[in-house]
Amino acid sequence: MKKIKISPSILSADFSQLGNEIKRLEEAGADMIHVDVMDGHFVPNLTIGPPVIKSLRKYTNLIFDVHLMISPVHKYIKDFADAGANIITIHPEATENLKESINLIRSLNKKVGVSLNPESKIDLIKDILKDIDLVLIMSVHPGFGGQKFIPDVINKIKDLKSIKEKNNLNFDIEVDGGINFENSKSVISAGANILVSGTTIFKSNNGDIKKNIDTLKLS
Ligand code: DX5
Ligand code: ZN
């Protein structure tokens, strides 16, 4: 069994202190840093883009797990690669040609992630599962931190895990949205090996991020 990794979302961090927040996450044992990029079009919220990611790159050597909620995504992929992303995750609905976008990310020597919204079916990405490194299952509607976990996605995680095993594939299963100390166990036993969390890590236990990361890992 793969070790559970925690990818804290900096969406819940103090945006006036992002560099320090990332250092604090690294010291607290984060395995990677989840960066939520939103365009006010693909999702109804705006966050940060390549210049901010580039300026954060010098604060840590941890993997930047960049979740692109922007459309059309294809023409911006290189900018995120150049800014220092290590994993680039895109939504299939945000590109005209999913295979081309996957190939572009790969050609830039970055890990390829594809994300499924709560209502998106696994069928949408079945053909490309062999070509990617990670599937990001959304357990909330993308756009905002602090939303409630949608329990239906547990079945989707199980189905994806079984497709993965049946076909001897190697991608990571990452789950994003509303993860807390109550649901983390079922998310992991369904087959996830990377948990994204913003609110739980930054706000639980008076913001004791080390305790919160450790507790999620031990789920
Ligand atoms: C939602 C983002 C998530 C979210 C996670 O669109 O992709 O990464 O910020 O935050 P919490 O853990 O607060 O749901
Ligand atoms: Zn995200």
Side-chain angles (χ1 to χ4, degrees):
M1 216 179 94
K2 275 192 180 170
K3 191 175 147 276
I4 301 305
K5 291 184 179 163
I6 307 295
S7 188
S9 164
I10 54 171
L11 197 56
S12 298
D14 177 350
F15 266 54
S16 72
Q17 302 285 327
L18 275 184
N20 291 333
E21 292 283 72
I22 282 173
K23 275 196 182 159
R24 215 155 67 85
L25 288 169
E26 180 166 14
E27 282 159 17
D31 297 288
M32 42 184 107
I33 303 290
H34 188 81
V35 184
D36 286 307
V37 178
M38 304 185 187
D39 66 351
H41 166 73
F42 185 69
V43 291
N45 196 6
L46 285 165
T47 57
I48 58 169
V52 177
I53 295 175
K54 189 171 181 211
S55 72
L56 293 174
R57 190 60 281 184
K58 58 181 173 295
Y59 285 86
T60 182
N61 289 321
L62 285 182
I63 288 166
F64 276 178
D65 168 30
V66 177
H67 177 193
L68 297 182
M69 289 161 274
I70 63 175
S71 164
V73 68
H74 192 83
K75 63 179 172 187
Y76 297 106
I77 287 173
K78 186 169 185 306
D79 292 345
F80 286 97
D82 291 345
N86 302 97
I87 303 170
I88 297 181
T89 295
I90 61 175
H91 285 252
E93 298 89 348
T95 177
E96 276 177 16
N97 189 328
L98 183 57
K99 283 195 179 157
E100 243 173 55
S101 295
I102 289 171
N103 289 341
L104 175 60
I105 299 171
R106 184 73 69 212
S107 74
L108 295 162
N109 287 320
K110 305 297 174 182
K111 293 241 159 117
V112 184
V114 170
S115 182
L116 284 181
N117 278 343
E119 64 281 359
S120 301
K121 304 264 182 287
I122 297 175
D123 267 358
L124 195 61
I125 59 167
K126 230 174 176 171
D127 293 347
I128 52 93
L129 284 173
K130 60 180 187 327
D131 305 320
I132 63 178
D133 302 295
L134 177 151
V135 178
L136 179 66
I137 303 260
M138 293 308 300
S139 40
V140 297
H141 294 286
F144 300 93
Q147 301 182 76
K148 212 169 159 305
F149 182 83
I150 299 170
D152 283 0
V153 301
I154 294 286
N155 283 330
K156 197 193 280 184
I157 302 167
K158 286 184 185 161
D159 291 348
L160 186 64
K161 177 80 186 297
S162 100
I163 292 172
K164 175 178 161 171
E165 284 178 348
K166 233 181 256 163
N167 295 285
N168 223 346
L169 297 171
N170 221 2
F171 55 83
D172 288 308
I173 301 179
E174 180 175 30
V175 180
D176 185 7
I179 299 282
N180 58 34
F181 302 132
E182 282 74 51
N183 57 32
S184 52
K185 203 181 169 68
S186 43
V187 169
I188 292 167
S189 45
N193 68 298
I194 307 176
L195 303 184
V196 175
S197 164
T199 307
T200 296
I201 286 178
F202 283 96
K203 313 277 186 225
S204 297
N205 294 306
N206 290 319
D208 185 343
I209 58 175
K210 176 157 176 31
K211 182 172 180 182
N212 297 335
I213 290 173
D214 286 349
T215 310
L216 284 177
K217 265 196 198 181
L218 291 172
S219 299

